[in-house]
Structures are given as C-alpha cells and as structure tokens.
Amino acid sequence: MTSSLQPPTEPTDHHGHTGHEHAPHGPAAGASHGHAHGHSHGHGPAAPVSKHLRKVIAAVLIPFAAAVFIGMAVLWPGGAPAHERTGVGFDRQTQQGTVVALAKVDCKSVNASQVPPTGDTSTPEGREAQAAQSGECKKATVEVGSGPEKGRAFFEIVQPGAPRQLEKGQEVVVAYAPDAPRDLQYSVIDVNRKLPMALLAAIFAVAVVVVGRMRGLFALIALVVSFGILTLFILPAILQGSNPLLVAVIGASAIMLIALYMCHGLTARTSVAVLGTLASLLLIGLLGSLFIDWAFLSGNTDDNTGLIHGLYPSIDMSGLLLAGVIIGSLGVLDDVTVTQTSAVWELHQADPKMGPRALYRAAIRIGRDHIASVVNTLVLAYAGAALPLLLLFSIANSSMGSVANSELVAEEIVRTLVGSIGLVASVPVTTALAALVVSADRPGPEAVNGPVKAGRGGRGRRRKR
C-alpha cells in the first residue's frame, strides 16, 4: 500500500525554497502549522510512511480485497431472473405516452363515480363520491408513444378530486395489460419526470465538480461505480436466491474499497479508514442480526415487500432487512472514518512528538462533535422518510408505546439504532487504530528529509508533504 507523493502546495522560488523556509521554530511554529491544517476532508497529500508500515497494512488489506472480489465473482448473478409479470404494483408492463387532448365533461355522463348504495354521505368516501358525481371531470386523450402499439390513442377520465391532474402536452407513463379487454388495456399510472430529474442530476454533478474539482470528479465516478455494483450485483444476486446478508457484506465492502481509494487516494491514511469502516460494518452486521431475530422482524411489512415475497418466496426477507441496514449505514460510516483518520494524521504532522495517547485524546474530541451531528442526522432522515406513517399514528391517537411496537415502526427503530451504534463505535475504533499506526511509523531518512537536490546555494529542498 503506497503513499502518494504530490508536489508541494507552497510557492517555490528559483533557489528551491518554499514559502515556509523561514518560518519560526518551536511552539509558535507548531501552533502555526496546526492552524494551517484545519479539520476538513481535503487534507492535502498525506505524509509518507515507512516501507515496513506499508507492508503491514498491505498484508491486511490485500487478502481482504482479494476475498471481496473473489466473492463477487463467485456470486455474480448475470442479471435478474425472468418471471411472468403479475400486473400488480411495479410489476407491470409500462410504455410512454402523451396527453394530446383534454376536454371537460360531466362526471355523470361518464359514470366516473357513484354515491354509496346506502346513500350514506356522512363518511369521507361518501362525500367524495357525491362531490365527484356532481362535479366536472376531464376526459384526456392519451397517445401511446412507445412499444408495439405506438400511436394508439385511448381515453382517461380524471375526477376533480384526483391527486394527479393531467394537462395537454404532458408526457405520462401508461400501464399495459394485454389480457384485459381492448378498451381497458391502457391506463395512465404516473407522469414522466425524466427531464427535471436529469436536469437536477446535472446541476448536482456540476456543483460537485466546480467545488470539489478533481476530488469531486472522482467522487462522481465512485458514485456511478457504487450504483453499478448495487444494480448489477447486489439486487440481482439477492433475486437469484443468494444469502442477502452475504451479498450485502461483499457488495458493501467492494463499494467501500473503490469509493474510498478513488476519492482519497491509495495512501496509508485511506487504508486505516478502510479498516475502521470494516470493523464498524462487522459490528452493525452482528447487532442487526441479533436484534432483528430477537424482535421477530419479518421484513415483510408493506405492499412492496409483500409483492417481492410473492414473486420470489425463497428470498429471506429478514435477511433483506439486515442487508438494507448494512448498505444504508455505509455512506455515513465512510464520512466518519475518513474524518477521524485525517484528524489524527494532521495532529501528528502538527506535533510529531505526540504519542498515541495524546493523539487519541485530541482526535476523540473532534469525533465527539461529529457523533452528535451524525446521529441526529440519521434519526431525522429516517423520521422524515416515515413522516406520513407517523402522521397516521398521530391521527389515530396511538400511544408512543403502541407506535414503537408495530413492526413497521420497529423496523425503522432497529435500523436507526443499530446504524447509530455502529457510527458511534467507529469513532473510537478508527481514532485508536490511526493513532497506533501513525505513532508506530518510523520513516527512513529519505521519507523524513526528502530527496536532496543541489541548489545554487547548496541547500536541499524541503520534503514534500
């Protein structure tokens, strides 16, 4: 595992002296240097480490990386298994379409809705039905824009209270049911959002590259690779019947190795972050497996998971839940471990005399601030995703105990808490590992002083960092 050397960031004059050549020595210099290397993710090139330490790190990580990619080769699915479409939910044939005409019609004339047979309009359903019957509907003419029946037109009735209203010229997604009567084979199920989504993705990519420059570009490439591993390996392998936990661990490890080394370089510092991330993922996997089994969480709690279980009964749904916990925790784990490792390295460069204990105490103070913000972020992210569900419980005046005990909410609680425990544990584990590694390092004379080059004044250049 080599440590990449990069050109010095300070300006160099024609005598080979850097801008810090005449900086004061002693404590003042150390304080100045420590200020120059503030806590961030762009920490500049890492200081070179000894050849012996690189060999030790490589001896640990190379077998691990080899095992990960061998596991991917063995479990590689070769695509998702074919199945006969059920026509339910997402498992429908879809085509593109365009609303070519829109006309207002009386809801009664198209029999859009009916008042309940009992005539009871005291219920919300009855009031909505009565309002729709006496209201004004829209009759949309939709033209199919893809598939074998491209150009075919059909009609779609839009009620006045429908959450999705159509407009002329709007692009839509239509479902195709070949077994239905001809007049009912096509129906509008959604609108086409490809253009705004693509534009938003382009704005995101430009912002990342403009601010992050080369690191931002490599981060985008790593993001594409991560998405490729998820869609080409993890999801098809689970559908093929492979163990979801094993697939998630191998896939998450591959994503971790590629993303970290691509974004932060092939350095000893990145390698320590990889080891810290790996240890935390193992802890998350153990805790998740224990509490998912103990709490009797099936992983089959909504229509989507029910459809998956119906199509592929051999899939272990509780294992799929655990796989989601591991993959969901990986992104934040990378951030925490890289930050902590970089903090230890920068503190060591600011004061090379600091021992492992002093480095750990100084870096763990940074980690505690990070823990507080990250845990809060995780909880709020899950709460935001489950906000409609929480609103339903609030409407029903359910107690907090009954809400937490329901399997749908219990899954999110276990997911949040297990992931948060792994994040909290990653801070001391990664900090201690980085402090031990950087303190045990004993660079040779060339790594300390840098290659000596004769200048006009006979003075050597300062080492690159």
Side-chain angles (χ1 to χ4, degrees), residues 25-99:
H25 299 280
S32 173
H33 189 71
H35 178 73
H37 292 278
H39 167 62
S40 70
H41 285 272
H43 315 88
V49 295
S50 64
K51 187 178 295 184
H52 173 71
L53 183 57
R54 291 200 298 268
K55 288 181 179 179
V56 171
I57 295 175
V60 176
L61 286 178
I62 289 179
F64 167 67
V68 167
F69 292 109
I70 290 174
M72 287 186 67
V74 171
L75 296 176
W76 192 264
H83 71 278
E84 187 176 349
R85 292 185 179 272
T86 63
V88 179
F90 290 105
D91 194 39
R92 290 181 283 188
Q93 296 186 40
T94 59
Q95 303 293 346
Q96 302 301 313
T98 305
V99 179

Side-chain angles (χ1 to χ4, degrees), residues 129-147:
Q130 188 179 51
Q133 190 184 47
S134 60
E136 192 175 62
C137 294
K138 293 179 181 178
K139 185 178 182 180
T141 304
V142 182
E143 184 178 288
V144 180
S146 62

Side-chain angles (χ1 to χ4, degrees), residues 12-18 21 451-462:
T12 306
D13 62 19
H14 65 279
H15 292 292
H17 302 158
T18 65
E21 188 70 32
V452 178
K453 294 184 180 180
R456 290 186 180 181
R459 300 175 64 179
R461 296 185 60 168
R462 291 169 60 90

Side-chain angles (χ1 to χ4, degrees), residues 152-407:
R152 175 181 168 180
F154 67 96
F155 300 107
E156 181 84 10
I157 302 301
V158 184
Q159 298 183 10
R164 181 177 59 246
Q165 296 294 318
L166 300 180
E167 298 177 1
K168 185 178 179 179
Q170 187 175 34
E171 295 185 353
V172 294
V173 179
V174 299
Y176 175 55
D179 297 333
R182 181 169 177 81
D183 292 342
L184 302 176
Q185 285 181 337
Y186 286 95
S187 60
V188 176
I189 59 172
D190 210 342
V191 298
N192 191 330
R193 304 180 180 88
K194 290 182 179 179
L195 180 59
M197 299 294 284
L199 180 59
L200 182 60
I203 293 173
F204 164 74
V206 170
V208 170
V209 173
V210 167
V211 177
R213 299 186 181 180
M214 286 304 298
R215 282 184 181 269
L217 178 61
F218 281 121
L220 289 177
I221 296 173
L223 180 62
V224 173
V225 173
S226 300
F227 189 74
I229 292 175
L230 181 65
T231 56
L232 298 179
F233 171 68
I234 295 178
L235 299 181
I238 291 175
L239 291 178
Q240 290 281 13
S242 300
N243 185 286
L245 177 58
L246 181 61
V247 171
V249 169
I250 293 176
S253 299
I255 291 173
M256 172 187 67
L257 289 169
I258 294 172
L260 285 179
Y261 283 119
M262 186 173 289
C263 294
H264 302 284
L266 196 65
T267 65
R269 185 164 68 183
T270 308
S271 300
V272 173
V274 168
L275 292 175
T277 305
L278 175 61
S280 303
L281 281 178
L282 291 176
L283 176 61
I284 289 173
L286 291 173
L287 287 175
S289 178
L290 172 64
F291 283 95
I292 286 174
D293 290 341
W294 195 5
F296 297 100
L297 298 178
S298 66
N300 189 1
T301 54
D302 56 23
D303 294 339
N304 293 328
T305 53
L307 178 60
I308 292 171
H309 185 64
L311 293 173
Y312 301 97
S314 61
I315 293 180
D316 179 9
M317 299 304 294
S318 60
L320 187 62
L321 173 61
L322 180 57
V325 173
I326 292 173
I327 295 172
S329 303
L330 178 61
V332 188
L333 268 179
D334 288 352
D335 175 71
V336 173
T337 54
V338 168
T339 298
Q340 286 306 112
T341 306
S342 298
V344 173
W345 243 262
E346 300 296 336
L347 288 167
H348 179 70
Q349 290 186 34
D351 186 1
K353 295 180 181 179
M354 292 178 70
R357 288 188 178 181
L359 282 172
Y360 178 83
R361 286 196 297 266
I364 202 66
R365 288 194 290 269
I366 299 172
R368 290 190 185 108
D369 291 337
H370 209 177
I371 286 173
S373 61
V374 166
V375 169
N376 195 44
T377 299
L378 269 182
V379 173
L380 291 179
Y382 284 123
L387 197 58
L389 176 65
L390 296 178
L391 282 174
L392 287 177
F393 281 112
S394 178
I395 292 171
N397 291 323
S398 301
S399 65
M400 290 299 296
S402 62
V403 169
N405 190 64
S406 65
E407 184 172 1

